Amino acid sequence: MLSPSLAQEIAGDTSAVIGFNVLITDAQGIVIGSGDSSRVGTFHEASVQVIRTQEAATHDASQAQLLRGVRPGMTLPLIAGGQAVGTVGITGTPTQVRRFGLLVKRQTEILLRESVMLRSRLLAERAGEKLLADIATYDPEVVEGEFLVFRAAELGFDLRLRRVAVAFEVTVPVAGAPRQAAPRLALVRSELLRTVGEVFADPQDIVATTAPGWIGVLHRIPAGSSTASLAADCRRVTDVIAAQDGLAARAGIGEPAASVGGLHDSYQDACDALRLGTRLASGSPVHLITDLRVHQVLTSVSQSARNRLLDLTTADLRAQPDWPALRDTVTAWCESGFNLVRASEALHVHRNTVVYRMNKIEQITGRPLREHRTTMALYLACLADQLGGTADSDSDSAAPRHRRERRTTPVKRPGDPGGRPSAG
């Protein structure tokens, strides 16, 4: 429990402060730290009795001569969890060192507890990272969902509870960021985790880093909770991170789920929402996949297919100098339920302006916007233009590669010596 490196650090620093040599032993009486490095690795016989009785002992010069590896001074037990895990000794005449004994003992025990807590927290973080990564890459052809449910239960998480995935991306929006971002984000990793954990503080919330600058959350949905409240929590996180010098943050929110497969899909949806929301240059730092389903479907087809749709549907419109305004008008018209008033409110323009733009679009395309099939094709083309010209849905994203890969090679299963092809 008490590592030699920590023991040596404590013993060296304490010896320098009090002016007397301090040594620390393990539970077997072996010196693992000392201001006098020549004593490290030796046996300190007095510690055996102190560990057994959990009572401090002093030894003058004559008593110390009768014990192996012992010098005049005081030896005190180090207690952790009600058990003696080692001792701390101070070399000197008992009358000189007695006044330091309790102080050194308590300080060493405090540092020991902090070390154990830090190690425990780090182990918990690593376990959370592994669990989230396994859910993000979950493939029922490779591992059974019940196995992950069991593993999560060992960590205190019930994956059968209703949850929703959230993905946070933190960036350094400064000149030279590509070279500087990763080292800086690595330095503030613990602080970022703490910031997210303070908002998503439910004991069942799984919070873990998935890559430098990326934090995933599997948030348990409380009874009566709404999507609006979750979005507000995400905005709280992004606001706190944005308040830190030179950092920016965005969040993507998936759909609720209560199974391993559902959580996998929810996490992928959260990453897609974050990626697509960023590409659409939305003013909000929080993006919901429910608002971006059509965009998600569009990015699942090839770039060449999107380009053909864009060229064949909007070529004449894109030649107009006010194409961005015309494109936004089509988008607002469709997303407002083909309602003129709501479309003008969404665009923050007078309704007559919307009417003018719609008439212009109809004149150029030769088709009425109230013909919904034509309008939907034009709407999809406008969305394709907003999404830009990336070749595939993931190529422009720094998101961790947690996509499930399709397998075309044979997969061997128990009782199937030759294996057989699987699409995964």
PDB file of all heavy atoms in Angstrom, residues 21 31 39 110 297 300 347 401 415:
ATOM      1  N   ASN A  21      17.010  12.306  11.151  1.00  0.00           N
ATOM      2  CA  ASN A  21      16.748  11.337  10.099  1.00  0.00           C
ATOM      3  C   ASN A  21      15.426  10.620  10.336  1.00  0.00           C
ATOM      4  O   ASN A  21      15.129  10.175  11.436  1.00  0.00           O
ATOM      5  CB  ASN A  21      17.872  10.291  10.020  1.00  0.00           C
ATOM      6  CG  ASN A  21      17.659   9.327   8.864  1.00  0.00           C
ATOM      7  OD1 ASN A  21      17.601   9.727   7.712  1.00  0.00           O
ATOM      8  ND2 ASN A  21      17.501   8.048   9.184  1.00  0.00           N
ATOM      9  N   VAL A  31      13.106  -1.333   5.531  1.00  0.00           N
ATOM     10  CA  VAL A  31      13.173   0.111   5.304  1.00  0.00           C
ATOM     11  C   VAL A  31      12.970   0.389   3.813  1.00  0.00           C
ATOM     12  O   VAL A  31      13.712  -0.112   2.957  1.00  0.00           O
ATOM     13  CB  VAL A  31      14.532   0.678   5.762  1.00  0.00           C
ATOM     14  CG1 VAL A  31      14.592   2.184   5.479  1.00  0.00           C
ATOM     15  CG2 VAL A  31      14.742   0.418   7.253  1.00  0.00           C
ATOM     16  N   ARG A  39      20.347   3.174   4.434  1.00  0.00           N
ATOM     17  CA  ARG A  39      19.524   2.283   5.257  1.00  0.00           C
ATOM     18  C   ARG A  39      18.367   1.668   4.468  1.00  0.00           C
ATOM     19  O   ARG A  39      17.683   0.770   4.969  1.00  0.00           O
ATOM     20  CB  ARG A  39      18.984   3.046   6.474  1.00  0.00           C
ATOM     21  CG  ARG A  39      20.073   3.615   7.373  1.00  0.00           C
ATOM     22  CD  ARG A  39      19.516   4.212   8.635  1.00  0.00           C
ATOM     23  NE  ARG A  39      18.950   3.208   9.533  1.00  0.00           N
ATOM     24  CZ  ARG A  39      18.403   3.484  10.717  1.00  0.00           C
ATOM     25  NH1 ARG A  39      18.333   4.758  11.115  1.00  0.00           N
ATOM     26  NH2 ARG A  39      17.913   2.530  11.474  1.00  0.00           N
ATOM     27  N   ILE A 110      -1.421  11.079   6.486  1.00  0.00           N
ATOM     28  CA  ILE A 110      -2.212  11.932   5.585  1.00  0.00           C
ATOM     29  C   ILE A 110      -1.735  11.768   4.150  1.00  0.00           C
ATOM     30  O   ILE A 110      -2.534  11.595   3.220  1.00  0.00           O
ATOM     31  CB  ILE A 110      -2.127  13.409   6.027  1.00  0.00           C
ATOM     32  CG1 ILE A 110      -2.910  13.626   7.321  1.00  0.00           C
ATOM     33  CG2 ILE A 110      -2.658  14.332   4.927  1.00  0.00           C
ATOM     34  CD1 ILE A 110      -2.719  15.000   7.928  1.00  0.00           C
ATOM     35  N   VAL A 297     -28.371  11.443 -42.304  1.00  0.00           N
ATOM     36  CA  VAL A 297     -28.648  10.567 -43.441  1.00  0.00           C
ATOM     37  C   VAL A 297     -27.909  11.050 -44.687  1.00  0.00           C
ATOM     38  O   VAL A 297     -27.343  10.256 -45.441  1.00  0.00           O
ATOM     39  CB  VAL A 297     -30.165  10.491 -43.699  1.00  0.00           C
ATOM     40  CG1 VAL A 297     -30.449   9.760 -45.011  1.00  0.00           C
ATOM     41  CG2 VAL A 297     -30.868   9.787 -42.549  1.00  0.00           C
ATOM     42  N   SER A 300     -24.383  10.050 -44.854  1.00  0.00           N
ATOM     43  CA  SER A 300     -24.145   8.605 -44.989  1.00  0.00           C
ATOM     44  C   SER A 300     -24.034   8.176 -46.452  1.00  0.00           C
ATOM     45  O   SER A 300     -23.602   7.065 -46.737  1.00  0.00           O
ATOM     46  CB  SER A 300     -25.271   7.817 -44.304  1.00  0.00           C
ATOM     47  OG  SER A 300     -26.495   7.959 -45.012  1.00  0.00           O
ATOM     48  N   LEU A 347     -36.042  33.464 -40.054  1.00  0.00           N
ATOM     49  CA  LEU A 347     -35.025  34.196 -40.816  1.00  0.00           C
ATOM     50  C   LEU A 347     -34.799  35.609 -40.288  1.00  0.00           C
ATOM     51  O   LEU A 347     -33.856  36.286 -40.716  1.00  0.00           O
ATOM     52  CB  LEU A 347     -35.450  34.278 -42.281  1.00  0.00           C
ATOM     53  CG  LEU A 347     -35.465  32.952 -43.052  1.00  0.00           C
ATOM     54  CD1 LEU A 347     -36.170  33.122 -44.388  1.00  0.00           C
ATOM     55  CD2 LEU A 347     -34.039  32.453 -43.263  1.00  0.00           C
ATOM     56  N   ARG A 401     -12.036   7.418 -33.193  1.00  0.00           N
ATOM     57  CA  ARG A 401     -12.576   6.457 -34.139  1.00  0.00           C
ATOM     58  C   ARG A 401     -13.202   5.287 -33.372  1.00  0.00           C
ATOM     59  O   ARG A 401     -12.565   4.272 -33.117  1.00  0.00           O
ATOM     60  CB  ARG A 401     -11.473   5.951 -35.078  1.00  0.00           C
ATOM     61  CG  ARG A 401     -10.974   7.035 -36.025  1.00  0.00           C
ATOM     62  CD  ARG A 401     -12.116   7.516 -36.946  1.00  0.00           C
ATOM     63  NE  ARG A 401     -11.598   8.329 -38.021  1.00  0.00           N
ATOM     64  CZ  ARG A 401     -11.627   9.648 -38.023  1.00  0.00           C
ATOM     65  NH1 ARG A 401     -12.116  10.301 -37.009  1.00  0.00           N
ATOM     66  NH2 ARG A 401     -11.158  10.330 -39.056  1.00  0.00           N
ATOM     67  N   GLY A 415     -16.753 -24.142 -32.120  1.00  0.00           N
ATOM     68  CA  GLY A 415     -17.492 -25.178 -32.826  1.00  0.00           C
ATOM     69  C   GLY A 415     -17.596 -24.953 -34.324  1.00  0.00           C
ATOM     70  O   GLY A 415     -18.297 -25.682 -35.018  1.00  0.00           O
TER      71      GLY A 415
END
